[in-house]
Amino acid sequence: MAKYESKVKQIPYAQSSVYAKMADLTHLLKLKDVVGTPAAAEMLNGKITDDQQRQARELLDGMEATPDSLSVQLPMVGAVTLNIVERDEPKCVKFQSTQSPIPVTMWVQLLPTDASSCKMRLTLDAELNMMMKMMLGGKLKDGIDKFADMLASLPYE
């Protein structure tokens, strides 16, 4: 197993609000309506690049979700499905891949910093052999950090 952790991200919303959104994956479908709007571009300005915003729009266009699962089409990978396998309210949501070229487990960990904000860290465990680890390790580390940046920039009201 190869383990990758994101940097700790500050989120300006209460831990309970963030957890409620992350523990029901259908909330992510609402992003399809938001991404690409002028308000979203203003909110994300300076946080992620224009290219990252374009990539996010492309991912969201092919995304499908139920309360417990999320399926996306990833470039050069194909369809990937993540299922929620554990909820520890309001601290953690654990996901596991059921359809992906590499078996993956991911945790979203949340800790309160005060009544109206929290911090988040993503942890990704992937079953990689040594060759795959050398080829993909840096990309997975960058990817988990970018995903954490995106999650930290979302509205959780």
Side-chain angles (χ1 to χ4, degrees):
M1 275 292 198
K3 185 176 189 175
Y4 303 93
E5 290 183 337
S6 72
K7 295 175 185 165
V8 174
K9 304 295 179 180
Q10 283 295 131
I11 301 177
Y13 295 94
Q15 178 189 22
S16 59
S17 297
V18 176
Y19 176 85
K21 296 287 184 181
M22 289 191 183
D24 179 350
L25 296 174
T26 57
H27 292 290
L28 292 175
L29 293 176
K30 295 174 186 165
L31 293 175
K32 289 182 178 185
D33 299 329
V34 175
V35 172
T37 65
E42 184 178 323
M43 180 183 72
L44 295 172
N45 189 25
K47 294 182 180 176
I48 63 174
T49 67
D50 290 342
D51 189 47
Q52 289 171 328
Q53 288 183 44
R54 180 190 54 76
Q55 290 172 357
R57 278 192 303 275
E58 289 173 3
L59 279 176
L60 289 170
D61 285 342
M63 184 173 70
E64 296 178 13
T66 69
D68 297 320
S69 70
L70 173 72
S71 297
V72 294
Q73 292 287 328
L74 297 176
M76 300 188 311
V77 175
V80 173
T81 300
L82 291 175
N83 291 310
I84 294 178
V85 293
E86 184 179 326
R87 291 177 176 92
D88 184 8
E89 187 172 356
K91 301 182 290 186
C92 181
V93 180
K94 184 177 178 181
F95 303 86
Q96 213 163 38
S97 65
T98 56
Q99 179 182 343
S100 72
I102 300 167
V104 170
T105 302
M106 183 177 75
W107 294 263
V108 178
Q109 298 163 304
L110 302 166
L111 289 172
T113 51
D114 59 36
S116 62
S117 66
C118 65
K119 55 188 176 179
M120 173 192 69
R121 179 189 307 251
L122 301 183
T123 303
L124 179 81
D125 277 346
E127 288 187 28
L128 301 175
N129 62 34
M130 189 57 74
M131 179 95 151
M132 295 289 283
K133 194 173 185 178
M134 289 173 36
M135 289 174 36
L136 297 176
K139 292 181 184 200
L140 287 173
K141 174 62 179 147
D142 289 344
I144 199 78
D145 275 330
K146 288 177 183 176
F147 188 51
D149 286 339
M150 189 267 304
L151 288 175
S153 69
L154 296 175
Y156 291 98
E157 349 185 85

